[in-house]
Amino acid sequence: MTAPAPAAIVRHRKHAAGAILSATTIADLDRNDPLKDRRALFEIPDGVIYLDGNSLGPLTTAARLRAAAVVTEQWGVALIRAWNAHGWMGLPGKVGDRIGGLIGAPSGTVLACDTTSVNIFKLLSAALALKPDRTVILSDTGNFPTDLYIADGLTKLMGAGRSVRVVPFEDISGSLTKEVAAVLLTDVDYRTGRRHDMPGLTRTIQAAGTLAIWDLCHSAGAMPTDVTAAGVDLAVGCSYKYLNGGPGAPAWVYVAPRHLDVVTQPLTGWLGHAAPFAFTQDYRPAPGIARMLAGTPSVIGLSVLDAALDAFDGVDMHALRAKSLKLADVFHAAVTKRYPDIERLTPLANEERGSQLAYCFEHGYAVIQALIDKGVIGDFRAPKIMRFGFTPLYLSYADAARAGDLLAETLAEQPWQLPKYQVRKVVT
């Protein structure tokens, strides 16, 4: 596999800025927002407009309190007895089911465990085992680099003619040859925010006798997502973005019911065993989704994630999606009112975009640093992409309008030219 190429980017230099909303209209939108009470669940610092929930969701009060309780009351008091007394061993399945409810997965098909990278390794290996007469993993040049790195590493490890084929996204359908065992795609492009047609592509992939594996890191918790209706074979995602599970939070893995009792994975650790406490010499996979486990679950991480997911209880995901799109529109209209020539990378059509907006600017890194000093936290992706995530549970329309104004002001007045904003930090 060659080095990952930049994402295929659709540029929108000329576009309608959208209606410029008055302060009264924005106030009305906030007053009538069905999700407005959710903001109180989050601990966002005063004076900060947080538009980086697509990289790291903010802390919820429930998560903070749960972390303290698990450490002091469970681990601190119950000690090893807490595995039984507080149900620690069941956390991967319990939390997995809660995430499953957000992605249209039936109970018992999602497990919260490990990291996205580790779970991709498991799923790609499982796919190759399910299609033993096929040797190729197909993906696109715009996929998230770790997905491609893991695929490449796995095929090199397995040998026997297995390989990764990476093509421009537009060429995926035409590259479904008889050698392809699985296609690994990301539902929402992490750079541009472009959303793909997961149901349609899944049908096309499966019609070629190939398995469809979807990375839903930028979808779960951001919009209505239905892996069952789409017929997805396997899926993976993280929980530290829109699910607000915290830095390094456990990821999750989905296996369609039709594959549950035949799927295998290479990390055959003791907790994926049918009887882990029998301590037998031979490995027997656990029934169902539990076979995707490997080592001891991250109890503190899973407990924090479990509490963070409370913020989604009772949320209408269609209402959340509608607000996400409107927040982005308000932001973009505010930006283009003062700075109309900004180069937008995210598609205009609602059905073609996720919950972020991306703009191309030569000095994007410095602009983001200057904007952070104004109280608006977005992020940067090389080589010159500024990203802004719109997470409806804690953002208001007033936030979006104000942040758009400040981005336009930063671009127009150019404080980003100051030397302090030119120095690249370790994490960009």
Side-chain angles (χ1 to χ4, degrees), residues 14 131 163 178 240 275 290 293 299 317 327 343 423 427:
K14 296 186 182 297
K131 297 287 183 179
S163 63
K178 63 181 180 180
Y240 53 80
L293 281 171
V299 170
M317 295 302 289
L327 284 167
E343 184 178 351
V423 180
V427 177

Side-chain angles (χ1 to χ4, degrees), residues 3-9 139-148 166-170 172 184-194 196 215 218:
I9 292 176
S139 191
D140 74 285
T141 53
N143 206 345
F144 192 73
T146 197
D147 296 44
L148 302 180
V166 181
V167 301
F169 181 82
E170 293 74 15
I172 288 291
L184 174 62
L185 297 173
T186 300
D187 185 32
V188 176
D189 187 299
Y190 79 102
R191 287 188 177 99
T192 66
R194 178 181 63 174
H196 300 137
D215 180 332
H218 286 266

